[in-house]
Amino acid sequence: MKKYLLLLLIFTSVLSYAQRAENIIIITTDGLRWHEIFEGMDQTITKDKRFNQGDSTYIFNKYWSPDVKERREKLMPFMWSLVASKGQLYGNRNYGNKVNNANPHWFSYPGYSEIMTGYADPAINSNDYAPNPHVTLLEFLNQQPKLKGKVAAFGAWEAFDRILNEKRSGIPVASAFDNVGGNHPTEQQKLINNMLRDSYKPWHADECFDVFTQYEAMEELKTNKPKVLYVAFGETDEWAHAGQYRSYLDAAHQVDAWVKQIWDFVQNDPKYKNKTALFITTDHGRGDKIKQEWTSHGSSIQDASEIWFAAMGPGISEKGEVKMEGQLYQQQFAQTIAKLMGYTYKAEHPIAKEITEVLK
């Protein structure tokens, strides 16, 4: 009997390892608060004339329910259907389940660098910071023989060229209004490039609309079949800074729909089906206690270090919403993602330990 149990444990361990992801898709949506993820629409903000864009009726009709579970499902239906049933969600502080930035700055470049390097480097303290001096997880993965040339990144914000150090890493990074497809674009990529050029640019050359980032990433999945894909959306942050809560909610709702589109595609493609993990998160939080500060973030804004993440796919158990008290940090994401792929991320800079709860 003891021999049987030992063999069963060994078999289970080997099976668990065999089920590690062959592919990973990392998705970020800039500055989306944990409150909306876990509680849905905030009626206090919606009723405030400074923030509802004169359309509180639309917001209530589309996103409101007195039941918090129904409310969050209305906002993020994919997150609270498939991800919640087949994956894991962390960061609901109503249960004492805490996820935070480890960096002291609580804004975008430091947050994305922390995600991608596993290191909360305090010296990275500006959105205008130079190309990242640290070897990111994406660069490390691209150095692995099985993944070489199969890593790509698409971001709405122009800073991703620097955050991921495109020049040094050799990873193709399409950010903001960069053309896609190189010297031989597909017809779809030609159309995207033309539309980018002719599109309305409310944030000038700094950031494009998220729809372009989504269509670029989907074309990459269809044509080049990357094994590591990073997709970074930005409108949740832009509309929040503008104090436009309706647009902020709509942007979050649309990101959820695009995550579903990506998942539906990979689960219907033999190269990806049941071999691909999703990791979804944000770069920083926003104001909380004082409602008028929900538009802002940074170290001067209380609670702006409060974030969340979700994961689903091979090697990730079906825990759903994690309600246990605990404290996790953004700097743990990089090694967790590496371990999901069966690698140990190594670099010259410090790297935080993986989140073992995700990998069990």
Side-chain angles (χ1 to χ4, degrees):
M1 185 65 177
K2 288 182 179 178
K3 184 178 180 181
Y4 171 77
L5 289 173
L6 179 61
L7 287 172
L8 182 62
L9 284 170
I10 293 171
F11 174 76
T12 303
S13 177
V14 171
L15 181 63
S16 177
Y17 181 79
Q19 289 176 335
R20 289 287 187 255
E22 294 181 20
N23 315 288
I24 188 80
I25 299 174
I26 306 163
I27 299 172
T28 56
T29 181
D30 200 303
L32 179 59
R33 303 191 312 163
W34 69 267
H35 308 75
E36 279 76 26
I37 293 290
F38 292 101
E39 299 174 348
M41 166 201 138
D42 185 317
Q43 66 171 324
T44 303
I45 300 175
T46 301
K47 290 177 178 178
D48 193 320
K49 291 182 179 180
R50 292 172 297 174
F51 304 131
N52 62 29
Q53 297 167 261
D55 209 353
S56 61
T57 300
Y58 165 90
I59 303 173
F60 271 93
N61 287 343
K62 188 163 186 177
Y63 299 119
W64 177 250
S65 168
D67 181 83
V68 66
K69 290 185 177 179
E70 290 182 8
R71 195 161 67 242
R72 66 191 187 182
E73 286 171 6
K74 282 189 170 189
L75 181 63
M76 311 286 283
F78 181 71
M79 186 76 80
W80 288 108
S81 57
L82 198 62
V83 179
S85 63
K86 298 294 184 182
Q88 302 177 23
L89 292 94
Y90 292 81
N92 190 342
R93 302 178 90 88
N94 295 313
Y95 297 107
N97 191 258
K98 301 176 182 179
V99 189
N100 285 77
N101 293 116
N103 79 76
H105 306 301
W106 310 352
F107 58 86
S108 290
Y109 194 132
Y112 289 121
S113 181
E114 185 177 336
I115 292 170
M116 286 294 164
T117 65
Y119 176 35
D121 185 352
I124 296 178
N125 58 3
S126 169
N127 280 341
D128 296 321
Y129 199 82
N132 204 323
H134 307 304
V135 172
T136 67
L137 171 66
L138 298 189
E139 187 173 351
F140 167 81
L141 292 175
N142 194 53
Q143 293 167 353
Q144 309 312 306
K146 290 183 179 180
L147 304 177
K148 184 70 175 177
K150 292 293 183 179
V151 180
F154 297 85
W157 187 32
E158 60 80 25
F160 282 106
D161 291 348
R162 290 175 284 117
I163 294 167
L164 301 175
N165 203 328
E166 181 179 24
K167 186 175 181 181
R168 185 195 64 222
S169 69
I171 298 167
V173 181
S175 64
F177 294 91
D178 291 348
N179 281 342
V180 292
N183 294 325
H184 304 286
T186 65
E187 290 304 310
Q188 179 76 349
Q189 286 169 332
K190 290 178 183 177
L191 178 60
I192 292 168
N193 292 338
N194 288 338
M195 293 180 73
L196 271 169
R197 183 192 64 227
D198 296 339
S199 66
Y200 175 53
K201 300 175 177 62
W203 308 296
H204 306 289
D206 289 347
E207 190 164 329
C208 67
F209 285 119
D210 286 340
V211 64
F212 297 113
T213 300
Q214 172 69 5
Y215 275 66
E216 290 167 359
M218 286 299 299
E219 186 67 4
E220 181 74 10
L221 281 171
K222 293 172 184 177
T223 58
N224 293 326
K225 307 293 184 185
K227 296 187 76 64
V228 179
L229 179 67
Y230 177 39
V231 187
F233 299 112
E235 286 188 47
T236 41
D237 189 63
E238 294 293 354
W239 297 127
H241 279 305
Q244 299 185 21
Y245 196 59
R246 185 199 69 194
S247 296
Y248 167 80
L249 293 177
D250 283 346
H253 185 67
Q254 185 62 66
V255 166
D256 182 81
W258 283 330
V259 175
K260 181 182 186 299
Q261 183 183 46
I262 289 170
W263 184 252
D264 288 347
F265 175 81
V266 300
Q267 286 299 95
N268 284 281
D269 187 293
K271 279 187 171 290
Y272 291 118
K273 185 177 181 179
N274 298 329
K275 305 171 187 175
T276 305
L278 280 180
F279 193 96
I280 313 163
T281 189
T282 191
D283 53 333
H284 55 72
R286 319 196 74 82
D288 172 25
K289 302 293 184 187
I290 304 170
K291 291 297 183 180
Q292 59 263 35
E293 289 191 344
W294 76 273
T295 64
S296 300
H297 56 88
S299 59
S300 64
I301 302 297
Q302 185 179 354
D303 304 323
S305 70
E306 299 176 355
I307 59 170
W308 56 271
F309 75 93
M312 177 175 70
I316 302 166
S317 59
E318 298 176 1
K319 294 181 180 179
E321 181 182 7
V322 178
K323 298 179 181 179
M324 291 178 59
E325 289 188 6
Q327 177 68 69
L328 299 171
Y329 289 97
Q330 190 177 56
Q331 63 183 355
Q332 296 178 266
F333 297 170
Q335 192 66 274
T336 304
I337 293 167
K339 295 287 186 179
L340 281 172
M341 295 283 287
Y343 296 95
T344 298
Y345 172 33
K346 297 178 180 178
E348 292 184 4
H349 63 265
I351 298 172
K353 291 189 67 175
E354 68 272 16
I355 302 168
T356 56
E357 297 94 322
V358 173
L359 301 170
K360 288 180 181 179

